[in-house]
């Protein structure tokens, strides 16, 4: 049994205590409370550890209490790598818990509780909807400098994904966007079926952050770095900033948050597919 203790500290027992489990018909409400009402709370634990259950899943322990999902389920990670990553998020919290920074924990909760009761097929259909409005497919007619910028920055990644998956996507300046061929949708649908439910949860998260299937797959396939994908997703905004100036701190913060969410989603996809045991120590006492 793997077990690693980390130093961590102090009143939010209602999430973890076994007698505070949300009834099934209140699970969605609990999930909403987790993401909104409990935005920040005082740290209520000292030590974080992970342990492996008899079924092979990994649990997160805050002091002597087992972490639970907003829906009241026992929080379990599919492998050691994911468990260590989540435990590290809890360990990194200071005097105040900032749940909105704990993206891996949130994604695990979503996969475990599935508050909207969606199947993987429904998630795939929702993800593919973004192809119809993909960021890199919508082009402007003017000004010329922005037209050229979009062509120079977006065309290479568009050509890459078309060649890699042998599909046709194209781009358009029409308000209706490009007409995505059925064969392209079918190819991507078949590809996304190779993802397990957890990985699909992470991929859909990345797609919604970047508003682009093309950029999201580029990140997951390691063709693009997170920084490159975020910059490409904000290309027009960055162009406007260049000409009209930056809103002090606001744009930088938004860009930082987008990078953090995108990176967490991409990491979640890869960790969800991790089957080998992580041997390196990621946490220190």
């Amino acid at each position: 049994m793997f077990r690693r203790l980390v130093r961590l500290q102090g009143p939010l027992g209602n999430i973890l205590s076994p007698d505070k489990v949300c009834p099934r018909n209140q699970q969605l409400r609990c999930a909403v409370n987790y993401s909104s009402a409990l935005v920040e709370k005082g740290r209520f634990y000292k030590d974080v550890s992970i342990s492996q259950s008899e079924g092979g899943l990994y649990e997160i322990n805050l002091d002597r209490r087992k972490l639970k999902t907003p829906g009241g389920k026992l929080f379990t990670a599919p492998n050691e790598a994911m468990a260590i990553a989540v435990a590290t998020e809890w360990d990194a919290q200071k005097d105040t818990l900032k749940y909105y920074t704990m993206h891996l924990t949130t994604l695990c909760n979503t996969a475990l509780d599935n508050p909207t009761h969606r199947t993987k097929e429904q998630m795939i259909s929702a993800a593919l909807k973004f192809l119809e409005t993909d960021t890199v497919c919508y082009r402007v007619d003017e000004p010329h400098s922005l037209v050229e910028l979009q062509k120079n920055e977006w065309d290479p990644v568009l050509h890459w994904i078309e060649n890699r998956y042998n599909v046709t996507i194209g781009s358009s300046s029409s308000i209706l966007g490009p007409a995505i061929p059925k064969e392209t949708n079918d190819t991507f649908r078949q590809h996304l079926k190779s993802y397990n439910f957890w990985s699909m949860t992470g991929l859909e998260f990345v797609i919604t952050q970047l508003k682009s299937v093309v950029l999201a797959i580029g990140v997951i396939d390691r063709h693009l770095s997170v920084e490159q994908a975020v910059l490409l997703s904000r290309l027009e905004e960055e162009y406007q900033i260049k000409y009209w100036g930056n809103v002090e701190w606001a744009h930088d913060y938004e860009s930082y948050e987008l990078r953090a969410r995108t990176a967490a989603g991409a990491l979640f996809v890869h960790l969800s597919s991790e089957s080998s045991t992580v041997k390196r120590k990621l946490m220190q006492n």
Side-chain angles (χ1 to χ4, degrees):
M1 176 184 292
F2 174 89
R3 184 174 178 81
R4 170 87 44 210
L5 291 177
V6 234
R7 296 198 33 115
L8 291 174
Q9 150 164 268
L12 180 75
N14 58 335
I15 284 186
L16 299 158
S17 126
D19 59 338
K20 296 292 185 180
V21 176
C22 296
R24 185 170 300 178
N25 62 352
Q26 293 180 348
Q27 287 185 3
L28 182 55
R29 187 185 307 170
C30 290
V32 172
N33 287 341
Y34 188 93
S35 61
S36 56
L38 302 180
V39 173
E40 292 189 7
K41 288 287 184 179
R43 185 165 166 172
F44 59 93
Y45 52 89
K46 182 179 180 181
D47 295 317
V48 174
S49 65
I50 70 173
S51 55
Q52 189 174 16
S53 66
E54 292 182 1
L57 299 177
Y58 288 83
E59 301 167 355
I60 312 296
N61 309 301
L62 305 185
D63 293 332
R64 294 181 179 276
R65 292 178 291 184
K66 293 185 182 299
L67 182 63
K68 294 199 173 193
T69 70
K73 295 180 179 178
L74 178 65
F75 187 104
T76 54
N79 53 56
E80 185 184 17
M82 183 72 79
I84 291 178
V86 171
T88 301
E89 283 190 331
W90 287 86
D91 183 40
Q93 301 301 303
K94 305 302 181 182
D95 294 335
T96 301
L97 300 180
K98 299 181 178 180
Y99 292 101
Y100 52 84
T101 67
M102 301 167 72
H103 304 301
L104 294 175
T105 300
T106 300
L107 285 167
C108 285
N109 284 332
T110 301
L112 289 166
D113 281 344
N114 190 14
T116 54
H117 307 292
R118 292 191 303 164
T119 64
K120 189 175 81 168
E121 187 62 34
Q122 289 173 320
M123 293 169 64
I124 291 173
S125 295
L128 290 179
K129 274 287 184 183
F130 277 88
L131 259 183
E132 302 171 6
T133 58
D134 201 288
T135 296
V136 303
C137 296
Y138 272 81
R139 307 297 174 89
V140 298
D141 289 321
E142 55 181 356
H144 177 73
S145 55
L146 182 54
V147 171
E148 288 299 304
L149 181 64
Q150 290 180 337
K151 178 180 179 181
N152 293 336
E153 297 296 332
W154 284 346
D155 278 2
V157 68
L158 196 56
H159 294 157
W160 165 81
I161 199 168
E162 288 181 328
N163 291 333
R164 177 173 175 80
Y165 290 94
N166 192 27
V167 295
T168 300
I169 299 177
S171 61
S172 173
S173 58
S174 166
I175 193 172
L176 299 177
I180 306 298
K182 180 180 181 300
E183 293 77 14
T184 296
N185 267 300
D186 291 344
T187 296
F188 281 124
R189 182 175 296 277
Q190 192 62 36
H191 171 65
L192 296 186
K193 284 182 178 180
S194 67
Y195 286 71
N196 63 41
F197 184 85
W198 279 60
S199 296
M200 193 61 224
T201 298
L203 177 59
E204 187 183 20
F205 181 75
V206 176
I207 291 172
T208 58
Q209 298 309 307
L210 300 174
K211 298 178 176 58
S212 170
V213 173
V214 174
L215 296 178
I217 292 180
V219 171
I220 301 303
D221 286 1
R222 295 186 173 92
H223 176 72
L224 297 172
S225 68
V226 168
E227 290 76 11
Q228 288 173 320
V230 168
L231 184 60
L232 290 173
S233 75
R234 290 168 47 89
L235 194 63
E236 188 170 350
E237 184 174 356
E238 294 296 333
Y239 174 87
Q240 298 296 341
I241 290 173
K242 179 180 177 181
Y243 281 89
W244 301 105
N246 194 3
V247 176
E248 189 175 0
W249 71 262
H251 286 115
D252 290 340
Y253 179 78
E254 181 182 342
S255 179
Y256 169 81
E257 282 296 302
L258 183 55
R259 288 199 301 271
R261 292 192 298 270
T262 302
L267 178 60
F268 186 86
V269 171
H270 292 299
L271 290 180
S272 297
S273 305
E274 176 65 50
S275 58
S276 60
T277 302
V278 175
K279 297 298 183 182
R280 295 185 299 110
K281 294 180 181 179
L282 298 184
M283 299 178 290
Q284 298 288 333
N285 283 343

